[in-house]
């Protein structure tokens, strides 16, 4: 009887998909490496909340690892480490491999923008002796989640004379923060009868920024004047300078461990910095790759990847073309032989809301990095569907290097859906598949990821680059 049970057990292990929690697989040594890596990741999350800050942080890290800024016409050889800063909001990094460039590159693509509240071009106004900023939300958000939480202001102001002023207010413990108000329950009967999507409108996402009037002025608008006086004193700006600014209101929360066991990380912007940082770190640590490694940290994914810093732009193609030309080839030949991990997140199965997921094809917390063969909505609209051959190759690669991985879709069929940058890279004739970290409460002001899943993303990019 015992022999039969043992035979059945072995048959199950041979024939059935084995869904295992990564903590039952990894060693204590690897767990310590995971925890250390995630401390560095939290530092990145606290210092790089917007795309401009992520580019600055990334360049500083790359320079420490010997990367130099690439200039057109530079001669390149195996082992060279280069980067290109695209307008301060997207970044490319490469390590030249020992194989001929015509064998293609190993490309990792993640995005560094996240949902937020952008200030309008004429944001400042006063109403009933309160000063406020008008905002226009960026990306897909649940608007009600952005009320009554502390918000910080990040970005840049370009003054009339061309001077650039960096802004970061609300992150230091001594800084003020900003808040979008909401109705008290006692007066919200009508509001609470509305659908959640309409309970707070876009035009109600106004930031409270002050209430103290200009001391020597009792006329209307004196609070606004007092705010402008403070801003002029601190930054030397006038109201007109908001026209040429990019100011983003983001949650003032810090990245923190979640849970008694500290197994999770809560932070703003895991989507998609939880893939961007592991890809960056793997690139920084990569040594003497066979194939040339290219990592792109891109902007504008949350709004469709348009614009000259989004991946519908040609800046990635131009970078590949420059490298190819310097090494005696052309972009078309190189791209057609290349492979890409589109490094983006997927939805983690949430036991509180099981109805939107199909259990067999969902990603689970602590089950490792998630490989997403296709995304899109309804009939796979707007997706890049990776081939069975390339999916098989990535599967073998992960298994060979003991990277804990799983597969997943973004919810049930017809429940919703979403896309990544995979399609824009695949359209360049590059074999592409999505690989990233499962996220709870995606697009909320405070998202949750697993530490072990985050570390497995790093390992996945590391082995892909080294392969």
């Amino acid at each position: 009887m015992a022999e039969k049970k043992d035979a059945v057990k072995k048959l199950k292990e041979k024939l059935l998909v084995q869904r295992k929690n990564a903590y039952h697989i990894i060693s204590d040594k690897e767990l310590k490496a995971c925890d250390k890596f995630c401390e560095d990741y939290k530092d990145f999350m606290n210092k790089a909340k917007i795309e401009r800050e992520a580019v600055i942080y990334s360049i500083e890290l790359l320079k420490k690892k010997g990367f130099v800024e690439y200039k057109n016409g530079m001669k390149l050889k195996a082992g060279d480490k280069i980067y290109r800063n695209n307008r301060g909001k997207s970044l490319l990094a490469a390590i030249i491999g020992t194989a001929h460039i015509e064998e293609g590159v190993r490309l990792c693509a993640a995005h560094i923008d996240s949902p937020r509240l952008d200030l309008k071009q004429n944001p400042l106004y006063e109403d009933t002796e309160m000063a406020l900023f008008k905002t226009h939300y960026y990306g897909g958000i649940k608007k009600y989640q952005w009320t009554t939480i502390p918000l910080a202001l990040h970005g840049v102001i370009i003054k009339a004379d061309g001077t650039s002023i960096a802004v970061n207010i609300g992150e230091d413990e001594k800084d003020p923060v900003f808040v979008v108000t909401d109705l008290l329950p006692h007066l919200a009967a009508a509001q609470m009868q509305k659908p959640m999507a309409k309970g707070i409108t876009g035009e109600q996402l106004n930031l409270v920024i002050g209430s103290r009037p200009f001391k020597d002025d009792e006329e209307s608008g004196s609070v606004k004047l007092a705010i402008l006086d403070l801003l002029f004193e601190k930054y030397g700006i006038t109201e007109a300078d908001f026209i040429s600014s990019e100011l983003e209101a983001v949650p003032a929360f810090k990245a923190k461990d979640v849970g008694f066991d500290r197994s999770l990380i809560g932070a703003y912007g895991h989507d998609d910095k939880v893939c961007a940082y592991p890809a960056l770190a793997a690139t920084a640590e990569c040594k003497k790759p066979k194939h040339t490694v290219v990592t792109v940290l891109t902007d504008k994914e949350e709004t469709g990847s348009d614009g000259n810093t989004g991946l519908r732009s040609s800046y990635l193609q131009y970078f590949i073309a420059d490298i190819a030309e310097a090494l005696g080839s052309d972009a078309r030949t190189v791209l057609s032989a290349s492979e890409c991990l589109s490094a983006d997140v997927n939805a983690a199965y949430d036991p509180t809301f099981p109805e939107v997921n199909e259990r067999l094809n969902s990603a689970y917390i602590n089950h490792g990095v998630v490989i997403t063969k296709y995304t899109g909505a309804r009939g796979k609209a707007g997706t890049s569907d990776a081939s069975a051959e390339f999916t098989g190759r990535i599967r073998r690669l992960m298994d060979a290097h003991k990277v804990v991985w799983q597969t997943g879709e973004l919810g049930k069929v017809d429940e919703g859906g979403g896309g990544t940058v995979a399609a824009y890279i695949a359209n360049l004739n590059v074999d592409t598949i999505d690989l990233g970290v499962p996220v709870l409460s995606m697009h909320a002001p405070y998202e949750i990821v697993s530490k072990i899943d985050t570390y497995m993303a790093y390992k996945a990019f590391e082995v892909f680059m080294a392969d």
Side-chain angles (χ1 to χ4, degrees), residues 3 22 27 40 61 75 95 122 305 316 351 353 393 431:
E3 290 181 359
S27 65
D40 294 335
L61 176 61
K75 293 182 179 180
I95 305 174
N122 293 300
S305 295
L316 172 61
F353 304 101
R393 169 170 147 57
D431 280 321

Side-chain angles (χ1 to χ4, degrees), residues 100-105 320-321 324 328-338 428-430:
H100 197 283
I101 192 66
E102 290 189 354
E103 292 187 25
V105 303
I320 298 294
S329 188
D330 60 87
R332 181 178 66 182
T333 301
V334 173
L335 286 167
S336 298
S338 296
L428 301 176
N429 198 29
V430 177

